[in-house]
Amino acid sequence: MIYDEPVYRPLGDCYLAVEFGDEADLSLNFKVLALADALKKANVPGIIEIIPSFRELGLLFDRLETDHETLKRAVKPIQETVADVETLPSRLIELPMWYDDPWSAELARRFNVKKNIDFVAECNDITVDEVIARHTGTDYWIVCVGFTPGCYFSLPLDASKWLKAPKYRTPRSFTSARLVALAGFSTGAYPVASPGGYQLIGRLAVNIYEPNSKTPAVFPEDGVLLHAGDRLRYFNVNALEYDEIWEAAQAGTYKYRITDEVFDVKGYLASRKP
Amino acid sequence: MIEVLEGGLQTTIQDGGRPGFLSRGIPPAGAQDFYSLSIANLLVGNDLTPPPLSRADPGAAGLEMVVKGVSLRFLDETVIALAGADMAATLDGTPVDRFRPIVAPAGSVLKCGTVKSGARGYLAIAGGIDVPLVIGSRATYVRGAQGGLEGRALRKGDRLTTFAPAAPAAALARRDLAGLPSAPEEPNVIRVVLGPQDFMFTAKGVETFLTAEWKLSPVSDRMGMRLVGPPLELHPRPDYLTRDAGSGPADIVDDVIPVGGIQVPGGIEPIVMGVENPTAGGYAKIATVISADLGKMGQIPPKGSLTFRKVRAEEGIAIIKDIWQKLRDARAALDAA
């Protein structure tokens, strides 16, 4: 459901949330990000951090300076100005990825499941090559960065390229860093080695979480590459290219493909209507 | 210089934590029980530990010890103070009290044992522990291998250094709690603000949550504390949530998980999020622990019991403001003495 009027909810004594709806629709995320952008510009007193999620904007505030009611009174008029989102600033980030990589295959063996990319092909009744063609054939919109440092949730902007697959019934206790995986509506990647339950389809040749990076222009002080509202375009690299890019990235000489753009939200929403 | 003789079960360097990076997936970390670390810092003349998720400077770094504490050798004369759980500490074999400054002579050995009550002991060292600031804080984020000493718990053979103390040992040794309580009242009553998804539970479900006696599962850490008790009844969900969020009765499309948020996957075994919380997730949260009681939550021992009590969000703010003001007043009084 997309609410007629956003709902304001306290999350304990430290946060106020502005919720635009409860379903997994990109139009909700555009509103969340438009409000985030407007609040950043308005410099509302007392806000420590603006936290976008898929369908709700979280505001962490300093309870020595403000409270839920005061903050709501300051936020509401700004929220009313962003009812119709025309455009959003959005970086296009192209990420090198080795599809059908040996680490994913090894993990499938270790956890006694079918090689995940084969399983994804089966779920969608296509070949592995077609899985790769579909996955590289659309841009992915990052709706939220969260869960663990640098972890993201993203949706294909071209819904016809969606690859459906369920999560693991029993999650893996281990996933190598930089593996890209999908399940449900989302594609994401594991920034560092961690447990996980998404279907593994490839490995990034660059980090998405790199504290103390040799490329500080790309990785800020917190080490996290991606933001909500970025668009990702994956490109397929072979084993040799993968090694070259990884080594260059670690040496600080890899040229990341990142472009600042403005995303036409209105045009996009009009085009996706049947 | 301080030598670590035994690391204990999980001893980490903590301060007030690093709020402000939740949108990057980085939790605040810091002391789970800020009040105990704060009064320990007060006793040794250090900067106070502020409440979690506040904008204030994170204060001096000390040690958080879980269930079984550290053993340390002080190579130089050092003033220390213990607070939080009673870990039956001894200095060169003689039992030492909590909640007062202790002058540890050069070469002396502090041994902390297993908790007698509570779950987390805190040790402040005059001057505060000197480790690099990582995005504004010295706190250890264990699961993210960030901050503290190499992002990990202490172990045998580690060496710690401290900043210069605020005053000579003899002056620090005269400090006391200036009338502050050593621990909160009603340690097993955890106050919560209902929501953000309390509406997904039936009135009976919410009632059960607020009246049941809950037990802390041993499968608990700084990320989340799992509770054992009765199931909580949920309303049926609209069909589109099965498509968008999953088939579980408490599945939602991912939203912000606050520190202290209480997720109830499947309507059973609520998980109270700690200071190393996942910052986003997809299960209904029936309520959120107020920031003043995150420390009480951190002091419930494995298999210990607790109940929840509903308060309004503004009460939660008033409670934490009052605690923080009293801490700062005590500090000002001691510094003026």
Side-chain angles (χ1 to χ4, degrees):
Chain A
M1 187 163 71
I2 297 169
Y3 308 149
D4 293 334
E5 277 295 318
V7 178
Y8 287 70
R9 299 186 204 280
L11 312 180
D13 58 327
C14 305
Y15 309 69
L16 176 70
V18 188
E19 186 180 315
F20 290 89
D22 64 356
E23 63 176 78
D25 189 292
L26 272 177
S27 68
L28 294 172
N29 192 245
F30 297 146
K31 289 178 198 230
V32 166
L33 294 172
L35 178 56
D37 206 38
L39 288 176
K40 250 173 240 161
K41 286 176 186 144
N43 216 355
V44 178
I47 294 180
I48 297 176
E49 190 180 5
I50 296 166
I51 313 158
S53 71
F54 197 144
R55 59 192 179 80
E56 168 208 82
L57 189 67
L59 301 171
L60 175 69
F61 63 84
D62 193 331
R63 52 240 192 266
L64 301 180
E65 283 178 53
T66 188
D67 57 43
H68 300 82
E69 272 312 307
T70 311
L71 191 56
K72 183 180 169 180
R73 278 199 300 275
V75 170
K76 189 113 174 91
I78 300 167
Q79 170 243 308
E80 281 162 356
T81 65
V82 295
D84 287 306
V85 187
E86 302 263 343
T87 61
L88 281 170
S90 168
R91 300 185 299 174
L92 177 64
I93 300 175
E94 295 174 75
L95 290 176
M97 168 152 141
W98 181 354
Y99 285 88
D100 198 4
D101 65 291
W103 296 275
S104 298
E106 169 56 29
L107 283 174
R109 275 194 295 277
R110 198 198 309 179
F111 291 98
N112 207 17
V113 291
K114 182 182 272 241
K115 195 163 81 169
N116 295 186
I117 199 166
D118 293 348
F119 177 67
V120 172
E122 214 170 82
C123 290
N124 293 278
D125 208 14
I126 55 178
T127 65
V128 168
D129 284 345
E130 285 166 330
V131 168
I132 298 169
R134 253 199 226 183
H135 203 259
T136 53
T138 176
D139 294 343
Y140 284 77
W141 182 266
I142 299 183
V143 293
C144 170
V145 170
F147 187 56
T148 59
C151 193
Y152 63 90
F153 301 84
S154 70
L155 269 68
L157 282 169
D158 178 352
S160 74
K161 300 277 168 58
W162 180 51
L163 291 158
K164 62 171 184 259
K167 288 180 196 169
Y168 277 38
R169 278 216 193 95
T170 312
R172 289 177 303 271
S173 56
F174 176 84
T175 313
S176 314
R178 308 195 313 280
L179 290 184
V180 176
L182 54 84
F185 59 72
S186 176
T187 288
Y190 297 87
V192 294
S194 50
Y198 279 29
Q199 307 289 343
L200 308 169
I201 60 165
R203 196 175 202 198
L204 297 176
V206 295
N207 276 322
I208 53 172
Y209 177 53
E210 196 169 282
N212 310 314
S213 175
K214 287 188 180 158
T215 321
V218 173
F219 293 93
E221 195 191 8
D222 56 43
V224 176
L225 173 63
L226 305 170
H227 307 239
D230 286 339
R231 282 159 304 140
L232 296 182
R233 188 177 293 170
Y234 302 97
F235 63 97
N236 192 3
V237 297
N238 62 30
L240 193 66
E241 294 163 324
Y242 174 93
D243 286 341
E244 280 171 8
I245 294 171
W246 174 248
E247 278 162 29
Q250 294 316 292
T253 57
Y254 178 66
K255 191 137 176 37
Y256 289 81
R257 301 196 206 164
I258 301 174
T259 327
D260 286 313
E261 293 180 357
V262 173
F263 183 70
D264 176 9
V265 173
K266 210 170 189 177
Y268 169 75
L269 289 175
S271 73
R272 75 170 189 166
K273 294 280 186 304
Chain B
M1 179 84 80
I2 298 163
E3 204 177 291
V4 178
L5 303 177
E6 292 294 337
L9 186 64
Q10 190 193 59
T11 303
T12 52
I13 295 171
Q14 299 296 347
D15 60 13
R18 55 178 74 80
F21 300 92
L22 300 168
S23 64
R24 326 309 309 277
I26 300 173
Q32 179 66 43
D33 177 1
F34 94 94
Y35 184 79
S36 291
L37 180 57
S38 210
I39 57 173
N41 275 325
L42 174 78
L43 289 167
V44 298
N46 287 351
D47 287 342
L48 297 173
T49 315
L53 299 169
S54 44
R55 214 198 282 269
D57 182 274
L63 296 182
E64 176 177 288
M65 305 180 275
V66 182
V67 180
K68 188 178 181 305
V70 277
S71 295
L72 304 173
R73 177 183 286 128
F74 301 98
L75 302 187
D76 312 292
E77 183 186 70
T78 310
V79 182
I80 59 171
L82 291 156
D86 181 358
M87 295 187 139
T90 61
L91 187 69
D92 286 337
T94 307
V96 287
D97 291 336
R98 292 173 292 161
F99 313 121
R100 65 172 189 82
I102 301 159
V103 181
S108 61
V109 172
L110 176 80
K111 282 189 178 167
C112 297
T114 304
V115 283
K116 289 174 146 181
S117 63
R120 288 180 162 83
Y122 289 86
L123 174 70
I125 305 168
I129 298 170
D130 179 4
V131 288
L133 283 168
V134 175
I135 44 174
S137 160
R138 298 186 170 86
T140 314
Y141 166 29
V142 180
R143 283 173 178 268
Q146 184 183 57
L149 185 71
E150 298 170 0
R152 60 169 172 83
L154 299 188
R155 56 189 182 220
K156 190 176 175 169
D158 285 340
R159 282 168 175 254
L160 305 174
T161 55
T162 55
F163 294 105
L172 294 178
R174 287 195 295 271
R175 292 169 80 93
D176 59 23
L177 285 181
L180 288 177
S182 58
E185 290 170 16
E186 298 187 297
N188 299 319
V189 178
I190 309 294
R191 289 164 293 186
V192 297
V193 177
L194 286 182
Q197 278 91 31
D198 52 316
F199 61 88
M200 288 179 67
F201 296 81
T202 63
K204 188 180 151 215
V206 173
E207 180 69 16
T208 305
F209 171 74
L210 290 170
T211 53
E213 187 179 74
W214 298 95
K215 283 209 183 315
L216 187 77
S217 158
V219 190
S220 295
D221 59 16
R222 288 166 50 83
M223 183 178 195
M225 291 158 271
R226 191 179 287 266
L227 304 177
V228 180
L232 302 179
E233 189 178 79
L234 286 139
H235 289 297
R237 297 175 313 152
D239 286 342
Y240 63 85
L241 283 183
T242 304
R243 180 197 69 205
D244 285 4
S247 56
D251 291 359
I252 58 170
V253 175
D254 293 62
D255 69 354
V256 172
I257 306 181
V259 175
I262 305 176
Q263 274 194 339
V264 196
I268 55 165
E269 297 205 349
I271 302 166
V272 182
M273 294 302 165
V275 290
E276 291 194 14
N277 67 317
T279 59
Y283 297 110
K285 295 165 286 297
I286 190 167
T288 305
V289 175
I290 62 171
S291 56
D293 284 2
L294 289 168
K296 284 190 196 177
M297 202 55 230
Q299 291 296 2
I300 306 283
K303 298 183 181 166
S305 57
L306 62 104
T307 55
F308 291 109
R309 181 185 297 156
K310 179 176 79 166
V311 296
R312 286 172 294 114
E314 23 330 346
E315 289 176 78
I317 293 179
I319 293 165
I320 196 73
K321 277 170 94 163
D322 181 55
I323 292 171
W324 184 222
Q325 191 57 50
K326 283 180 174 149
L327 277 165
R328 283 184 298 177
D329 290 348
R331 157 117 204 180
L334 289 173
D335 289 353

